[in-house]
Amino acid sequence: MAREGNLEAPTRHALDWKNPDFYDEEKCFTELERIFDICHGCRRCVSLCGAFPTLFDLVDESSTLEVDGVAKADYWKVVDQCYMCDLCYMTKCPYTPPHEWNLDFPHTMLRAKAIKFKKGEVKASEKFLASTDVHGSFAGIPIVVQVANAVNKTQAARGVMENLLGVDKNAWLPELATRKFRSSAPEARSTDVKDGEKTPGKVAIFATCYVNYNEPGIGHDLLKILDHNHIPYVLVEKEKCCGMPKLELGDLASVEKSKNANIPVLAKYAKDGFAILSAVPSCTLMFKQEIPLMFPDDADVQRVKEAMWDPFEYLSARKRDGLLKTEFPQPLGKISYQIPCHGRVQNIGRKTEEVLKWIPGTELNTIERCSGHAGTFGVKKAYHQQAMKIGKPVFKAMATMKDGSKPDFISSDCPLGGHHIAQGFEVNGLGTPELNHPLTLVRKAYALK
């Protein structure tokens, strides 16, 4: 007799992506039909994203009112709506393994996306948007950066980008940094390594494409916090994009190329006893979950997985070791903070919230719901308005503190999600609180310049 749902925590199976059957469209669609039938009978995830309402509408409008009445060609409409947030698997679905029904919606969507990519049905514009190292190659080049940033703000240029790249002309886009984080980061002041019971006493920073090319200030704030706490750090010797944008496209071969470039470098730091920190949740998640599931038998991948930390996960553990300063001379007032999806699915708890609550004279309004941005999804013309709709409950919830007052700051660990939320405030006339990354807020609370 089938059980209603799991009594155990969800567990993940390795991704058998090198098996030829993985790319067999007929077999994939058979699994999609099985999963869609379960989802149709449950409908618990209807509010998460566009994939589930799309599926349920297809069923409800079919001749049989069941999944068998939905045309197989329409399955792609559901697949295209999934942006791999993973929340259905980690927070909603009662039928994930070890349940006997063994339902993994996001990785079945990934399988379908990989088939679509292998068939050559992914547009060149989408591939370009996912090539973050290519975009970032212009960062730090004098004049070029200024010209590129200025041009990207003009209506004419945004119109061209919309036509050629499918980037919505109204979507917020990040600017290129005038100086890359990796080339501007100072050396650590402290060299004294103090290991704790829970934490390594030295840190290696995986800069990430976004921090390196677009918002180096986030990286500098992290370094200032580490310096203030006498934690020696280094930037990893070299790095490539973590591969998350390529994963979302189903371009698994490119994910493997990124893995082959990054893992040998990062594994050396893991073996040498470093905690590896990444300030972008999606990048951290790639090394903690997605790459290990793609390469479960690679010992170095597993070493990096164990050594990889979210910055606030590390700071929280460092405090439990009695090795973190908790004197914050600068109160921050009222903060509305959003926990991003790829932070939630790391299974580390609400560590950013925990750290922000240490700061005296600070009131926190925490929102645990998807902002709707989801990497490149939120900037595409086909999905930008939908992304704003998905995020609207978040925007509204963040606009008012529990006592009815307005926040001084809005914040999210995901930099792109944070800017999407700020645009949501602007579009919906919800006020103009200052957008700061949580690391920036902690740096301010420490009164560090």
Side-chain angles (χ1 to χ4, degrees):
M1 183 174 180
R3 290 177 294 129
E4 168 62 21
N6 275 336
L7 297 178
E8 301 89 359
T11 58
R12 264 286 161 54
H13 296 314
L15 195 67
D16 194 20
W17 68 285
K18 292 205 171 181
N19 185 333
D21 283 350
F22 186 84
Y23 298 94
D24 186 309
E25 187 169 340
E26 184 177 349
K27 290 179 179 179
C28 177
F29 273 42
T30 298
E31 178 63 2
L32 284 172
E33 184 172 9
R34 183 186 78 89
I35 286 178
F36 288 172
D37 192 50
I38 296 170
C39 293
H40 157 56
C42 175
R43 302 205 173 198
R44 188 175 174 181
C45 293
V46 67
S47 64
L48 284 182
C49 67
F52 297 98
T54 298
L55 169 62
F56 303 148
D57 285 348
L58 287 169
V59 173
D60 294 344
E61 293 165 5
S62 72
S63 58
T64 66
L65 300 179
E66 298 290 344
V67 172
D68 62 10
V70 177
K72 295 292 190 294
D74 285 338
Y75 284 12
W76 293 113
K77 296 178 182 178
V78 181
V79 173
D80 288 342
Q81 288 287 334
C82 177
Y83 43 72
M84 307 295 295
C85 74
D86 225 33
L87 285 190
C88 58
Y89 191 98
M90 297 303 296
T91 70
K92 289 283 188 181
C93 184
Y95 305 119
T96 56
H99 191 278
E100 60 193 289
W101 289 357
N102 190 33
L103 198 154
D104 188 339
F105 189 94
H107 275 175
T108 309
M109 296 297 104
L110 177 60
R111 179 183 180 184
K113 289 174 184 288
I115 290 170
K116 183 177 182 179
F117 189 90
K118 200 159 193 174
K119 289 168 64 180
E121 295 178 359
V122 173
K123 297 177 182 177
S125 59
E126 293 182 276
K127 294 178 184 178
F128 178 77
L129 284 178
S131 302
T132 52
D133 282 326
V134 174
H135 313 162
S137 63
F138 297 102
I141 304 175
I143 302 177
V144 172
V145 168
Q146 287 83 354
V147 170
N149 288 338
V151 168
N152 282 344
K153 292 179 180 178
T154 66
Q155 289 185 335
R158 291 302 301 267
V160 171
M161 290 175 68
E162 185 171 273
N163 291 332
L164 295 181
L165 300 177
V167 175
D168 193 288
K169 62 184 178 182
N170 296 312
W172 174 87
L173 291 179
E175 292 187 350
L176 292 170
T178 55
R179 192 175 180 194
K180 297 176 186 176
F181 171 63
R182 288 181 59 84
S183 61
S184 60
E187 291 186 4
R189 291 183 296 192
S190 177
T191 57
D192 185 15
V193 177
K194 293 183 180 178
D195 290 328
E197 182 181 344
K198 303 177 184 298
T199 54
K202 55 185 178 181
V203 165
I205 306 292
F206 184 83
T208 76
C209 298
Y210 185 82
V211 171
N212 190 31
Y213 301 135
N214 302 111
E215 278 196 70
I218 295 171
H220 286 290
D221 288 336
L222 174 57
L223 301 188
K224 289 172 184 176
I225 292 167
L226 295 174
D227 260 338
H228 182 66
N229 286 283
H230 307 296
I231 301 169
Y233 63 79
V234 295
L235 269 63
V236 299
E237 182 183 0
K238 58 182 178 179
E239 66 181 72
K240 187 176 175 65
C241 174
C242 69
M244 179 60 83
K246 299 294 186 180
L247 184 84
E248 292 170 347
L249 282 187
D251 183 2
L252 302 186
S254 289
V255 175
E256 183 173 31
K257 289 179 183 178
S258 292
K259 169 259 180 188
N260 290 340
N262 286 321
I263 292 297
V265 177
L266 295 176
K268 292 178 183 177
Y269 293 99
K271 292 173 186 175
D272 288 342
F274 283 84
I276 306 172
L277 269 59
S278 154
V280 176
S282 297
C283 306
T284 312
L285 186 67
M286 279 298 291
F287 294 109
K288 280 188 172 187
Q289 174 175 289
E290 300 299 346
I291 294 173
L293 288 173
M294 288 179 66
F295 303 94
D297 300 321
D298 188 314
D300 279 348
V301 167
Q302 301 306 321
R303 286 191 188 96
V304 172
K305 172 185 174 181
E306 295 304 317
M308 183 66 63
W309 296 72
D310 171 90
F312 287 91
E313 177 191 15
Y314 179 80
L315 295 175
S316 176
R318 197 71 176 161
K319 179 178 181 285
R320 294 199 297 276
D321 281 333
L323 295 170
L324 191 81
K325 294 181 180 180
T326 55
E327 299 79 24
F328 297 96
Q330 181 63 51
L332 296 177
K334 299 175 180 180
I335 302 170
S336 266
Y337 160 66
Q338 183 255 355
I339 306 175
C341 304
H342 286 170
R344 291 173 67 181
V345 300
Q346 289 179 43
N347 287 324
I348 60 175
R350 297 161 72 148
K351 298 305 182 188
T352 302
E353 178 189 63
E354 179 183 320
V355 173
L356 292 174
K357 283 185 173 180
W358 297 341
I359 303 167
T362 300
E363 181 185 341
L364 199 61
N365 173 33
T366 300
I367 306 301
E368 196 171 31
R369 184 166 177 157
C370 181
S371 72
H373 189 275
T376 59
F377 180 88
V379 303
K380 292 177 181 176
K381 178 175 175 56
Y383 304 116
H384 174 64
Q385 288 304 318
Q386 184 178 348
M388 296 299 287
K389 181 179 179 180
I390 292 170
K392 194 168 185 177
V394 175
F395 312 151
K396 292 178 70 175
M398 292 182 72
T400 306
M401 305 296 289
K402 294 180 179 65
D403 62 1
S405 61
K406 298 296 183 182
D408 302 304
F409 296 99
I410 52 174
S411 189
S412 173
D413 300 275
C414 175
L416 293 171
H419 284 285
H420 184 70
I421 292 167
Q423 184 174 22
F425 267 63
E426 180 183 358
V427 169
N428 291 284
L430 297 174
T432 56
E434 186 177 342
L435 172 65
N436 276 187
H437 190 275
L439 288 169
T440 305
L441 293 173
V442 173
R443 189 263 299 164
K444 287 183 174 180
Y446 273 135
L448 304 174
K449 300 299 184 183

